[in-house]
């Protein structure tokens, strides 16, 4: 394999993508069905070409082909195979190619599944997809070519950052990209709808599974990233309000708002222009996420100056991808206006409130993420706003949103709630108050009390809703259970996952115990009620690192052994870098988390030990959310025939 | 009615315009990046008495340091740039008294932060609710103030303290003041 094969495939993909843009637009303008019919084949051809390019790049990483500049920069012949493969997207150029691959694959999947849509809409959607992939392919070819060849290949590569040699992180970008790119389809639907000046139920029904899938993938991707930060960074935290995290959170907040407003378009034929605007916002934020993280703009404005062509290209794409649809929206949006017909306690009203909350929460995150960047541009100061800002703004507004989630199942379309709405509301209120009352007994902070109240309300609201629908105490409960259908179970799962997540967050905040000590082997350390015995330290040799690990024996209050922990420090000679590998003993009820700090035989070693009750629920809850998304995805989404 | 549909475009245009202008004028060098103004400069530093990070140790009181040049640094464990700043502060600690104010940070977290990244501070005061930050007019952290022997603020810097700032600005300031 030579770099030229991949390079050539990439150029071919760009030509196919351009065809995919021109054929439907020209075909629709000139009323030529033969031109229009070229659209889908062009999309599929572009997909195959990008696949060829991507496989040739992976192959170069697997075989450590050092005639590729990229392989030299980011790989090393002694790296384990799985991380050689993951190294393909562990860098700017490769991850961009992966992004394009997912984009054209989704386009192809759309071609193969959406043939029931009318041909004009079908063609327009693919044309918009083609514009996005053309822009990205041009960006890749002109500024970030992964197939740059080295005239004199070196003998060994420069390796990959050892912190990034990790399975969670290898899977994190692809999953996150699935989510980002999934929103591109919603964006294409929105732009196509604006061009046609018409949006109907079939449009909404064809769109909804894409948004569900994108949101599920975003949830999974963000969860993987958070889990990675938890066990790899050795810091014991799981969310840092880091700009890189925040940019992935924003589309994640917009996606459920979009999902619900698409549902209103589908069922009631309302909220059309708002839905279109949300779809544009969702993908704009995804683009921001992809670009900002990869360009390094967030770390500092000055990383932008390091490669101005790349930066200007990025800004141009952002400007066009957000600006043009908004021009279109200002022009065509008024055509989509419908007259609302629903009462104050209807599901529509609840969704308006919920959408408002999610959009405000997104704006809060946007402000907290970009305010420091803005400040740096104006006066060169590099500062952080950090968790205190988000605790004071984001958490309260999301708490209000969660209250709505607890009773979401009991509201009906149009006018009035379902018969059991009042009982559910009262039950949830009661449980919320009970939780707050119990919390008062422990003297915890007001924010934590509010969290507990919301948790009680949310979890009991869902349980009562299910119970009152199924009525297990009456006859024929089985039949009622079966009639409920998968979509509502998907909603309950996702909402209940949120409750589990919240329980994990509160537990981790309120119940955590920790000990930071400098200890000699054979010393005992108290960690809450438990005891940790520092048995000893030993040195070993890994495949591409040297390791120093401590043996810790963990006993509970009764003196029963719980687990053996081996926290580790690794030194990677090729990169001259040290990493900490936390040792974690996970159970349903909590994690024991141990980190080995620096030290020597004379002065002892620094140990950081944590007991984190129910922390695993944070990711378990997120897993339930993803499951909820998948359940509602497999329930059949049929597009009625035109 | 139509105006509502123009609104998203106008907001976006405004944001893009400001960003583009700031970015390009900064990068092309037509606009010089200036430090944040502070009303405190050349005025007495606010009275500051904070609980000590070390339990049982006496309160941190800025007025005790009259007669020497002091660097007051607002930081927190949740602030990533603060980590980068620690080595710079350690080198400054050889010439000046560096006082840390742990801004809106849990005591346990601050301690873990200092064990992990090093402790350049002569003493650390705890500003749990950020009230001291408000009195000083802190924009965001890290933020650093140079205070002369009479207790007046000589200079304020928002952002990370780096080598260039130390050699070009801070050192001349404290050498003329001292």
């Amino acid at each position: 394999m030579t770099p030229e094969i991949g390079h050539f495939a990439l150029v071919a993909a760009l030509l196919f993508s351009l065809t995919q843009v021109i054929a439907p637009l020209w075909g629709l303008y000139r009323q030529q069905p033969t031109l229009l019919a070229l659209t889908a084949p062009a999309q599929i051809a572009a997909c195959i070409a990008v696949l060829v390019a991507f496989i040739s790049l992976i192959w170069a990483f697997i075989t450590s082909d050092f005639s590729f500049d990229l392989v030299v920069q980011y790989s090393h012949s002694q790296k384990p195979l799985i991380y050689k493969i993951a190294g393909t997207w562990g860098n700017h150029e490769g991850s961009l190619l992966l992004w394009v691959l997912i984009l054209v694959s989704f386009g192809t999947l759309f071609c193969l599944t959406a043939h029931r849509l009318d041909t004009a809409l079908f063609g327009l959607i693919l044309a918009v997809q083609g514009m996005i992939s053309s822009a990205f392919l041009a960006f890749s070819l002109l500024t970030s070519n992964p197939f740059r060849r080295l005239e004199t290949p070196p003998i060994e590569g420069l390796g990959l950052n050892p912190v990034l040699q990790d399975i969670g992180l290898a899977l994190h970008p692809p999953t996150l990209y699935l989510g980002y790119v999934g929103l591109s389809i919603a964006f294409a639907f929105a732009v196509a709808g604006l061009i046609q000046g018409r949006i109907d139920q079939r449009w909404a029904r064809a769109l909804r599974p894409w948004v569900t899938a994108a949101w599920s993938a975003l949830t999974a991707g963000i969860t993987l990233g958070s889990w990675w930060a938890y066990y790899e960074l050795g810091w014991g935290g799981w969310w840092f309000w880091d700009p890189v995290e925040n940019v992935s959170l924003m589309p994640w907040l917009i996606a459920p708002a979009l999902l619900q407003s698409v549902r209103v378009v589908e069922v009631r034929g309302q909220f059309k222009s708002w839905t279109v605007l949300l779809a544009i916002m969702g993908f704009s934020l995804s683009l921001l996420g992809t670009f900002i993280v990869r360009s390094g703009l967030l770390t500092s404005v000055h990383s932008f100056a390091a490669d101005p062509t790349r930066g200007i290209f990025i800004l141009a794409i952002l400007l066009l991808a957000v600006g043009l649809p908004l021009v279109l929206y200002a022009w065509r949006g008024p055509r989509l206006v419908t007259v609302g017909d629903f009462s104050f306690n209807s599901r529509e009203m609840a969704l308006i409130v919920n959408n408002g909350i999610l959009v405000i929460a997104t704006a809060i995150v946007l402000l907290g993420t970009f305010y420091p960047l803005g400040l740096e541009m104006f006066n060169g100061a590099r500062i952080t706003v950090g968790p205190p800002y988000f605790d004071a703004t984001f958490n309260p507004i999301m708490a209000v949103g969660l209250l709505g989630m607890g009773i979401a199942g009991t509201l009906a379309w149009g006018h009035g709630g379902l018969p059991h709405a009042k009982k559910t509301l009262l039950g949830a209120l009661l449980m919320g108050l009970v939780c707050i009352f119990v919390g008062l007994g422990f003297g915890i902070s007001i924010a934590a009390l509010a969290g507990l109240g919301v948790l009680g309300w949310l979890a009991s609201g869902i349980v009562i809703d299910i119970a009152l629908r199924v009525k297990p105490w009456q006859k024929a409960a089985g039949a009622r259970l079966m009639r409920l259908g998968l979509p509502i179970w998907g909603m309950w799962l996702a909402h209940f996952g949120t409750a589990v997540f919240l329980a994990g967050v509160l537990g981790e905040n309120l119940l955590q115990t920790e000990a930071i000590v400098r200890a000699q082997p054979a010393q005992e350390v108290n960690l809450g009620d438990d005891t940790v015995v520092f048995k000893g330290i030993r040195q070993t040799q890994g495949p591409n690192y040297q390791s120093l690990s401590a043996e810790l024996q963990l006993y509970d209050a009764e003196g029963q052994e719980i687990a053996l922990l081996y926290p580790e420090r690794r030194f990677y000679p090729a990169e001259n870098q040290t990493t900490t590998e936390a040792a974690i003993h996970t159970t349903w009820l909590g994690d024991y988390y141990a980190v080995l700090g620096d030290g020597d035989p004379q002065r002892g070693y620094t140990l950081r030990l944590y007991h984190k009750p129910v922390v695993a629920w944070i990711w378990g809850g997120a897993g339930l959310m993803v499951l909820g998304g998948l359940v509602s995805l497999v329930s059949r989404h049929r597009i009625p025939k035109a | 009615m139509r105006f509502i549909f123009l609104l998203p475009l106008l907001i976006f245009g405004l944001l893009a315009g400001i960003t583009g202008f700031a970015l390009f004028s900064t990068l092309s060098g037509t606009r010089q990046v200036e430090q944040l103004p502070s009303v405190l400069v050349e005025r007495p530093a606010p009275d500051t008495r904070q609980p000590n990070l070390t339990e049982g140790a006496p309160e941190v009181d800025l007025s005790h340091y009259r007669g020497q040049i002091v660097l007051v640094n607002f930081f927190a464990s949740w602030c990533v740039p603060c980590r980068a700043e620690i080595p710079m502060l350690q080198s400054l600690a050889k010439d000046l008294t560096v006082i840390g104010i742990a801004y809106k940070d849990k005591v346990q977290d601050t301690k873990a932060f200092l064990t992990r990244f090093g402790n350049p501070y002569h003493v650390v005061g705890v500003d749990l609710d950020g009230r001291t930050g408000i009195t000083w007019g802190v924009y965001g952290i890290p933020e650093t103030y140079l205070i002369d022997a009479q207790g007046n603020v000589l200079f304020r810097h928002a952002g990370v303290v780096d080598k260039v700032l130390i050699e070009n600005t801070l050192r001349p300031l404290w050498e003329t003041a001292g």
Side-chain angles (χ1 to χ4, degrees), chain A residues 72-321:
Chain A
V72 176
Q73 296 296 326
Y74 295 99
S75 197
H76 193 282
S77 62
Q78 281 174 26
K79 210 156 64 166
L81 178 65
I82 176 87
Y83 299 123
K84 281 185 183 168
I85 298 174
T88 315
W89 56 81
N91 55 78
H92 167 76
E93 288 83 354
S95 69
L96 193 67
L97 192 59
L98 176 69
W99 208 97
V100 179
L101 178 68
I102 295 174
L103 183 74
V104 289
S105 306
F106 272 22
T108 305
L109 193 63
F110 171 79
C111 281
L112 301 177
T113 54
H115 44 267
R116 275 164 182 258
L117 282 180
D118 77 75
T119 46
L121 183 61
F122 181 80
L124 282 174
I125 289 173
L126 281 178
V128 178
Q129 283 280 310
M131 289 179 204
I132 303 170
S133 55
S134 303
F136 271 84
L137 284 165
F139 179 55
S140 176
L141 281 166
L142 295 176
T143 72
S144 326
N145 185 2
F147 300 103
R148 212 166 35 244
R149 174 187 266 285
L150 282 182
E151 288 302 325
T152 46
I155 300 196
E156 193 49 272
L158 300 173
L160 177 81
N161 188 340
V163 177
L164 307 182
Q165 276 189 37
D166 175 88
I167 195 69
L169 203 66
L171 295 175
H172 169 63
T175 341
L176 206 54
Y177 284 7
L178 279 178
Y180 284 159
V181 177
L183 288 176
S184 80
I185 302 258
F187 174 81
F189 266 78
V191 175
L194 281 175
I195 294 175
Q196 286 197 315
R198 179 166 51 83
I199 276 174
D200 55 16
Q201 292 186 322
R202 287 185 306 116
W203 179 92
R205 195 172 277 202
L207 170 56
R208 199 151 61 91
W210 292 101
V211 184
T212 313
W215 178 80
S216 304
L218 273 176
T219 313
I222 294 172
T223 309
L224 277 173
S226 146
W227 181 55
W228 169 78
Y230 172 72
Y231 73 73
E232 177 71 27
L233 294 185
W235 199 232
W238 55 276
W239 189 263
F240 299 87
W241 292 111
D242 186 81
V244 175
E245 295 171 324
N246 293 349
V247 289
S248 64
L249 188 65
M250 287 186 279
W252 184 82
L253 288 167
I254 290 292
L258 176 60
L259 196 60
Q260 288 159 352
S261 87
V262 169
R263 182 88 179 120
V264 182
V265 177
E266 187 183 337
V267 179
R268 305 283 294 175
Q270 291 165 353
F271 292 12
K272 288 176 183 173
S273 59
W274 172 247
T275 305
V276 165
L277 189 60
L278 277 179
I280 295 171
M281 282 202 277
F283 184 60
S284 307
L285 291 169
S286 293
L287 277 182
L288 205 63
T290 318
F291 276 147
I292 295 287
V293 172
R294 280 299 163 191
S295 69
L297 190 57
L298 268 183
T299 6
S300 167
V301 182
H302 299 285
S303 60
F304 180 90
D307 190 351
T309 21
R310 202 178 268 181
I312 289 166
F313 214 118
I314 286 176
L315 288 185
I317 292 186
L318 265 177
L319 206 62
L320 289 177

Side-chain angles (χ1 to χ4, degrees), chain A residues 611-636:
Chain A
H611 179 216
K612 293 169 168 290
V614 299
V615 69
W617 292 26
I618 292 173
W619 302 286
L624 283 178
M625 294 183 211
V626 176
L627 193 66
L630 294 180
V631 164
S632 69
L633 200 61
V634 294
S635 64
R636 290 166 82 84

Side-chain angles (χ1 to χ4, degrees), chain A residues 458-546:
Chain A
L458 176 57
S460 60
I462 297 165
V463 172
I464 295 170
D465 184 23
I466 297 177
L468 290 179
R469 277 167 190 256
V470 179
K471 299 197 181 72
W473 53 88
Q474 285 179 12
K475 272 187 193 157
R480 274 194 298 276
L481 190 70
M482 297 312 292
R483 260 208 313 276
L484 280 174
L486 283 180
I488 196 161
W489 281 108
M491 179 196 82
W492 279 329
L493 265 175
H495 288 183
F496 199 74
T498 314
V500 174
F501 166 81
L502 184 61
V505 174
L506 287 169
E508 200 249 357
N509 267 311
L510 295 175
L511 308 173
Q512 170 173 302
T513 46
E514 65 178 48
I516 304 170
V517 289
R518 191 174 270 277
Q520 290 284 359
Q523 199 171 322
E524 282 189 13
V525 181
N526 288 328
L527 177 62
D529 296 335
D530 310 311
T531 313
V532 177
V533 182
F534 183 15
K535 305 276 281 188
I537 203 123
R538 65 178 169 187
Q539 267 180 317
T540 45
Q541 182 73 37
N544 53 349
Y545 57 86
Q546 294 147 15

Side-chain angles (χ1 to χ4, degrees), chain A residues 2 16-17 19 89 114 177 233 284 372 398 478 517 553-554 572 590 607:
Chain A
T2 65
F16 288 131
S17 288
T19 314
W89 56 81
Y177 284 7
L233 294 185
S284 307
M398 284 312 273
V517 289
Q553 208 162 13
L554 191 65
Y572 291 79
L607 295 174

Side-chain angles (χ1 to χ4, degrees), chain B residues 119-141:
Chain B
N119 185 352
Y121 302 109
H122 174 69
V123 66
V124 175
V126 177
D127 180 22
L128 210 55
D129 55 6
R131 201 158 290 177
T132 309
I134 295 175
T135 343
W136 286 69
V138 168
Y139 272 79
I141 58 171

